[in-house]
Amino acid sequence: MNWRTHQRTTFLVASGLSTAGSFAGLTAKGWILMDGSGNALVLALHFAVLALPALLVSGPAGVATDKLGCEAVLIRSQWGLFAAGILGAVAIPLSNGDLQVVLLLLSTLLVGIASSYELTARNKYCALLVEDPQQLAPYLTSFSVVFNVGKLVGPPIGGWLLAWTGAGTALAIDAATYLIPIASVLWLLHPNRGLEQRSVAGASSGLRAAWRGSGPVLRHVLIYTALACLLGFFHPGLAPLMARDLLGPSPQALGLFTSVLAAGSISGGLVLQRHSRWLSQRPGLLLGSCTLITATAQLAMAAFSGPETLVIGLAATFALGAGTASLLAGVNLISQVGSSMAIRGRMAGLGQIAFLGGGGLSGLLAAAMSLTLGLQGTFAVLGAAGFVLGLQELISRRGLRLKLRSV
């Protein structure tokens, strides 16, 4: 293993530990909020303040990444995540009641904002750690696998820490995990900074310039992604409702449901990583297939619900995780390897915007529909629309090709 490979592995592991800590902290805060308020609306607000800031912040985050440099923004964003985590930790001993709820929600809001900067900067930073541009695609998709592994192991870690150490200590330990990527970037990694291209002040440094300069293929990818996410990426916000409908109302049911989702996400990420370069050159095939898998899973959930069809429901849940995770990771991959170094920060920001706030907006749409159509009716309508969208993409864009950038 040469030193470049060692660097990539170090950054991947550091990011994975930070991701697991992040999900552990979010799980602990969610339990504290529910236990203290008993209000499900507070839980929904907790998810909203985490996910929705990406819609407003990802654009400026991408602009800052291209102007200031990805390494500088990466370090600052990690310090921001650490400060947000510490705010949640000190809120436990220093406050109670409504004030504690407000401070915990503020902590999560700051995590959401800092994460938007961290994601855009990290994507561009990865290109400085690879020796050969051909290594960038599989390296970028590795972060999808790491993210979903962290999503799988983080919640139980958060629950164990909460039970063993208490709320304040659990959140402090989780906050400390943000120091690991900071230490690795400051002292362990030596990126090839000469490869980075920054934007200069002026009209050419804005999002609009990146949008125009990205080319018709990437513009199509971003527009299509927003439509696909609106129809299919709503499970982050509705997971408790979906788990109750499929498995029952117990916490164990929610844990099993999210574990199966995460297992599907990890599997989809591994497949994408294995074929990352080939698939990134065929965006129509990649996006259309992911949308069809997701839509088929939704239609299965509409047709089969309840204990008597548990196996089918869990298989559909697995497919839902695989389809949505591959779509998000695939768009992130395509937007990076298909754009020039000078606009990669802004392309990452545009990609985050296309995800509609991490499923926040699509979750609100699905929740509103479920009030009148019911959950199964919502699955049926959105699944049918997603199936048509994915099929149309595969038929009309099957010959679409993306030229990969050499740097």
Side-chain angles (χ1 to χ4, degrees):
M1 180 182 291
N2 61 38
W3 71 277
R4 282 281 182 188
T5 303
H6 178 72
Q7 281 199 120
R8 295 197 298 272
T9 304
T10 298
F11 189 47
L12 199 61
V13 171
S15 297
L17 292 173
S18 177
T19 299
S22 178
F23 277 103
L26 291 169
T27 300
K29 280 190 283 188
W31 186 91
I32 295 165
L33 289 168
M34 192 63 187
D35 184 62
S37 67
N39 188 343
L41 183 60
V42 173
L43 280 184
L45 185 60
H46 185 234
F47 174 76
V49 298
L50 172 69
L52 291 180
L55 279 172
L56 300 176
V57 177
S58 294
V63 171
T65 296
D66 286 335
K67 277 186 178 180
L68 304 177
C70 55
E71 187 173 20
V73 174
L74 182 63
I75 293 171
R76 294 176 190 179
S77 64
Q78 287 291 345
W79 279 118
L81 287 166
F82 175 70
I86 290 297
L87 175 61
V90 301
I92 303 303
L94 299 182
S95 64
N96 52 57
D98 290 343
L99 177 60
Q100 187 176 91
V101 169
V102 170
L103 290 176
L104 289 175
L105 289 175
L106 177 60
S107 169
T108 300
L109 173 64
L110 295 175
V111 168
I113 293 172
S115 292
S116 296
Y117 281 86
E118 191 269 342
L119 283 169
T120 57
R122 186 186 68 200
N123 281 330
K124 191 169 184 177
Y125 187 77
C126 287
L128 309 185
L129 295 178
V130 298
E131 296 174 286
D132 187 329
Q134 294 189 11
Q135 297 172 340
L136 180 58
Y139 188 47
L140 282 171
T141 52
S142 298
F143 283 92
S144 172
V145 178
V146 165
F147 174 84
N148 286 299
V149 170
K151 187 177 180 181
L152 178 64
V153 304
I157 290 175
W160 294 332
L161 287 175
L162 199 60
W164 294 343
T165 66
T169 304
L171 292 180
I173 293 173
D174 296 332
T177 60
Y178 293 121
L179 296 175
I180 300 173
I182 297 174
S184 66
V185 173
L186 288 177
W187 297 310
L188 300 179
L189 304 181
H190 302 282
N192 187 353
R193 298 180 180 88
L195 288 177
E196 185 172 17
Q197 300 172 21
R198 301 186 189 181
S199 59
V200 296
S204 63
S205 65
L207 278 181
R208 189 184 299 274
W211 171 263
R212 290 197 303 266
S214 62
V217 174
L218 291 183
R219 287 196 293 269
H220 167 75
V221 166
L222 293 171
I223 293 172
Y224 178 89
T225 299
L227 291 173
C229 285
L230 188 65
L231 298 175
F233 187 44
F234 53 77
H235 64 268
L238 295 189
L241 186 61
M242 295 165 67
R244 186 185 67 184
D245 186 70
L246 178 64
L247 299 168
S250 71
Q252 291 80 9
L254 178 58
L256 175 60
F257 181 81
T258 54
S259 295
V260 173
L261 268 177
S265 300
I266 293 168
S267 300
L270 288 171
V271 172
L272 180 60
Q273 182 188 30
R274 185 178 180 86
H275 306 286
S276 56
R277 185 171 175 83
W278 186 80
L279 285 172
S280 63
Q281 294 175 317
R282 295 163 174 79
L285 173 64
L286 175 56
L287 301 180
S289 298
C290 291
T291 307
L292 274 182
I293 292 171
T294 302
T296 302
Q298 290 172 290
L299 292 172
M301 288 180 166
F304 306 100
S305 180
E308 66 278 4
T309 56
L310 180 60
V311 174
I312 297 176
L314 289 176
T317 302
F318 183 92
L320 183 66
T324 52
S326 298
L327 174 70
L328 302 186
V331 171
N332 184 58
L333 167 65
I334 291 167
S335 68
Q336 292 298 297
V337 299
S339 61
S340 65
M341 177 69 80
I343 65 170
R344 281 181 181 171
R346 283 166 287 172
M347 291 306 297
L350 288 169
Q352 295 301 314
I353 293 171
F355 298 158
L356 302 181
L361 284 184
S362 47
L364 291 175
L365 171 66
M369 291 177 63
S370 69
L371 295 177
T372 55
L373 301 177
L375 188 58
Q376 287 181 279
T378 301
F379 281 145
V381 172
L382 295 179
F387 193 91
V388 171
L389 180 68
L391 189 61
Q392 182 183 23
E393 180 73 4
L394 282 177
I395 293 173
S396 64
R397 304 275 180 172
R398 61 182 180 274
L400 188 65
R401 294 292 183 270
L402 178 71
K403 182 180 179 182
L404 304 187
R405 297 282 181 164
S406 58
V407 291

